[in-house]
Amino acid sequence: MNAFSIRIHSFYFSSGASKVQSSLAAFRSSSRRSAAVQSPVSCLLFSSRLGGEIRMGVTKKSLGGVALHTHKRLSSSIRAQAAGLSLVPLWFLSSSSSSSGGIVLPAVGVACLGAILFGYHLGVVNGALEYIAKDLGFAADPVLQGWVVSSTLAGATVGSFTGGSLADKIGRRRTFQLDAIPLLIGTLLSANAAGFQAMVIGRILVGFGIGVSSGVVPLYISEVSPTEIRGALGSVNQLAICVGILLALIAGLPLVNNPAWWRSMFAIATVPALLLCLGMAYSPESPRWLYKQGRIAEAETAARRLWGKAKLETALADLKESNSDAGASEDAGWGDLFSRRYRKVVGVGMSLFLFQQFAGINAVVYFSTNVFRSAGIASDVAASALVGAANVIGTAVASSLMDKQGRKKLLMASFSGMAASMLVLALALSWRSLEAYSGTLAVLGTVSYVLAFSLGAGPVPGLLLPEIFASRIRAKAVALSLGVHWISNFMIGLFFLNVVKRFGVSSVYLGFSAVCVAAVLYIANNVVETKGRSLEEIERELSPAV
């Protein structure tokens, strides 16, 4: 599931204040540059473990003497994103409308309501958690506050695995409609919660819903998009998540004057959930799924609606050839993902998300605020604006290059840039000879790293995976890969601070740089270019009949 600007602070459930203090002491000894968590605009969840709670958004703990006021940083970061978002949809509209005589854009737009809900539900707790805790009577219990956040992550992990099976059994469109149910019920439970239990149940249901949508949205977009603009339309998913975060920020503005407004913030989320359910009733089903089910006439109708008559004959010929193998029309079981025919390509999908998560994006953003302070940038707003601007610029550039330079080149260039930036950060934090320039170098390293991440490592895996997986395994393989992403994200949050405490920030950064180099080598030898190729053509190369 994936690149996204959310701050999530997570703390060990089993730990108390003593562990928090010991962790902080370790950070101060290894580096004076500790910082607030400030996850990238790629919207991938970051949970960093710091002691006895999991929290998103507002926390009054401090790291290295720096108070964390993340709501303000989220505001500035989102404002930076919003400035860049306005340019991208115009490019998509002009490219797509000229390339297709069908209704691809409206269909993709409806699907992206799921991505908007993804971003909104991740961001809605940011500014509201403090008010929720006071209103529901657990303001003095950081562990319970942590559960309000972590319950969403737990639900999303389950949802990411479930979504693949649902999409195979009942289709992409009906999965969207069914997904609206937990999104609606969970939202209403949270909005009307009278206590902690109701809030957590609501957040688990919402997490399940966004876990399903995290896989089904890119899956549907890849299957309904014309080949020549599939990369561009695939990037809309990432941008829609950012729009969701922006809407969550805007929705939280009245909280300052109306502490009870948090209930309305949750209730607002029922609108896109309803629109998703209703919009999918009028959107075409994936022609590829229909053809695989043997519903040839319906597949032809859906293809004509999506792509127009001009492309219909070619599209149907590709569909027919891709389903000509024995067993191609049967849905794969989970065990089939590791069969001789598919295990290599499934391994590539999981590996891309592992490299993405273990390449250090969470660490860089975690320490970003004090890195900027060391360079004399004391304003949290300015720091967030720099990180947010780097993400927006990178995302916009990646969107325009996806169908020109290709996915593989962007991935390799991205991880190469991340490796170099990590090396600069490690040297800036450790070499005494560079002490006079450490602040400037650290800022350059941080901004360049986030920029490089948003060019490829952030957006490409979520786009590439539905392209490289054969139609028979596509839904389950995407679900498995995203499940690996969610679990990896959680594990990084669980062990990150302990690793920093033991080895020091600079050593950890050098390790991240090595991971990025390994990613470049792996991609060069195992990832194929999918630019300008139909899904059926890619499938014939990567998953030939055994």
Side-chain angles (χ1 to χ4, degrees):
M1 107 270 311
N2 340 149
F4 315 25
S5 188
I6 300 171
R7 299 154 182 80
I8 300 177
H9 305 299
S10 43
F11 300 81
Y12 293 115
F13 290 112
S14 59
S15 305
S18 60
K19 283 196 174 185
V20 177
Q21 295 302 323
S22 63
S23 296
L24 299 182
F27 276 136
R28 294 188 187 102
S29 63
S30 61
S31 171
R32 287 179 290 179
R33 298 173 177 84
S34 57
V37 178
Q38 194 177 37
S39 197
V41 184
S42 60
C43 297
L44 298 177
L45 270 177
F46 170 43
S47 47
S48 60
R49 296 269 168 176
L50 292 180
E53 62 180 335
I54 293 184
R55 296 190 59 186
M56 177 191 290
V58 179
T59 176
K60 294 183 180 178
K61 299 282 183 186
S62 64
L63 291 177
V66 181
L68 307 182
H69 301 294
T70 59
H71 182 65
K72 292 181 179 179
R73 282 192 285 272
L74 178 62
S75 304
S76 62
S77 189
I78 293 295
R79 281 194 294 270
Q81 297 170 39
L85 285 175
S86 60
L87 300 177
V88 182
L90 295 178
W91 180 83
F92 283 135
L93 283 172
S94 61
S95 298
S96 301
S97 58
S98 63
S99 302
S100 173
I103 60 168
V104 172
L105 280 177
V108 170
V110 172
C112 282
L113 288 172
I116 290 175
L117 284 166
F118 187 126
Y120 187 88
H121 281 298
L122 292 182
V124 72
V125 177
N126 263 7
L129 183 59
E130 186 176 22
Y131 301 94
I132 294 170
K134 289 180 180 179
D135 202 354
L136 300 185
F138 55 91
D141 194 331
V143 175
L144 295 185
Q145 293 179 41
W147 273 106
V148 173
V149 178
S150 62
S151 55
T152 307
L153 180 61
T157 303
V158 176
S160 65
F161 285 106
T162 307
S165 297
L166 282 175
D168 272 342
K169 289 183 180 296
I170 64 176
R172 288 40 166 160
R173 190 177 67 166
R174 288 187 179 178
T175 300
F176 275 116
Q177 293 179 303
L178 192 62
D179 187 38
I181 296 176
L183 288 170
L184 281 169
I185 295 176
T187 298
L188 291 174
L189 274 175
S190 297
N192 295 283
F196 167 76
Q197 291 83 358
M199 173 59 69
V200 168
I201 293 173
R203 296 303 291 168
I204 289 175
L205 288 172
V206 163
F208 180 87
I210 65 175
V212 171
S213 65
S214 69
V216 180
V217 173
L219 175 66
Y220 180 80
I221 292 176
S222 71
E223 291 188 338
V224 303
S225 298
T227 299
E228 63 271 17
I229 57 170
R230 192 174 60 241
L233 290 180
S235 301
V236 176
N237 176 45
Q238 178 179 339
L239 295 173
I241 296 174
C242 297
V243 170
I245 302 172
L246 173 62
L247 293 175
L249 170 66
I250 295 172
L253 293 177
L255 276 172
V256 178
N257 299 317
N258 182 9
W261 176 253
W262 66 266
R263 295 184 183 275
S264 299
M265 292 172 63
F266 284 105
I268 289 171
T270 58
V271 175
L274 285 171
L275 290 176
L276 176 64
C277 185
L278 295 175
M280 274 296 157
Y282 297 96
S283 298
E285 178 57 89
S286 163
R288 292 178 167 91
W289 181 82
L290 289 169
Y291 206 100
K292 189 177 67 172
Q293 303 302 311
R295 296 156 63 174
I296 311 302
E298 293 177 61
E300 183 176 344
T301 300
R304 183 184 297 108
R305 291 183 63 197
L306 284 165
W307 305 321
K309 294 181 180 180
K311 299 179 181 179
L312 182 60
E313 186 175 344
T314 302
L316 291 178
D318 285 339
L319 290 174
K320 182 178 180 179
E321 185 172 353
S322 69
N323 286 272
S324 61
D325 296 332
S329 62
E330 300 176 5
D331 290 331
W334 289 103
D336 293 329
L337 301 183
F338 303 99
S339 66
R340 179 182 172 187
R341 181 177 185 181
Y342 300 122
R343 61 192 176 201
K344 182 177 180 180
V345 70
V346 171
V348 169
M350 293 190 295
S351 297
L352 286 179
F353 272 119
L354 283 172
F355 280 123
Q356 181 198 67
Q357 290 299 295
F358 285 94
I361 181 62
N362 300 328
V364 168
V365 195
Y366 185 87
F367 286 103
S368 62
T369 301
N370 265 19
V371 164
F372 292 128
R373 286 177 182 269
S374 69
I377 304 175
S379 170
D380 293 339
V381 174
S384 295
L386 281 172
V387 174
N391 270 284
V392 170
I393 293 170
T395 301
V397 172
S399 299
S400 64
L401 294 178
M402 204 73 73
D403 289 311
K404 297 178 181 179
Q405 298 300 319
R407 288 63 151 159
K408 186 173 181 177
K409 285 184 178 179
L410 286 178
L411 274 176
M412 294 180 66
S414 176
F415 277 109
S416 298
M418 291 159 63
S421 300
M422 272 294 184
L423 184 60
V424 170
L425 278 168
L427 295 178
L429 293 172
S430 60
W431 279 20
R432 292 187 176 180
S433 58
L434 296 176
E435 188 171 356
Y437 312 100
S438 62
T440 302
L441 288 174
V443 170
L444 289 175
T446 298
V447 174
S448 62
Y449 180 93
V450 174
L451 180 63
F453 178 86
S454 62
L455 279 171
V460 172
L463 167 66
L464 186 66
L465 266 55
E467 295 181 326
I468 64 175
F469 294 142
S471 59
R472 182 169 178 259
I473 66 165
R474 186 172 293 133
K476 287 187 175 69
V478 169
L480 176 64
S481 300
L482 282 166
V484 168
H485 160 259
W486 288 101
I487 294 171
S488 300
N489 192 292
F490 180 79
M491 296 302 293
I492 290 171
L494 183 63
F495 295 112
F496 174 66
L497 284 184
N498 282 344
V499 173
V500 171
K501 178 180 178 181
R502 182 172 180 178
F503 298 103
V505 178
S506 297
S507 298
V508 172
Y509 276 9
L510 286 174
F512 286 144
S513 182
V515 170
C516 292
V517 172
V520 174
L521 298 175
Y522 180 85
I523 292 165
N525 292 291
N526 294 278
V527 176
V528 300
E529 184 53 69
T530 59
K531 173 189 73 167
R533 306 169 68 185
S534 70
L535 298 183
E536 290 70 32
E537 182 183 352
I538 298 167
E539 177 177 344
R540 287 193 293 272
E541 177 182 343
L542 296 181
S543 303
V546 177

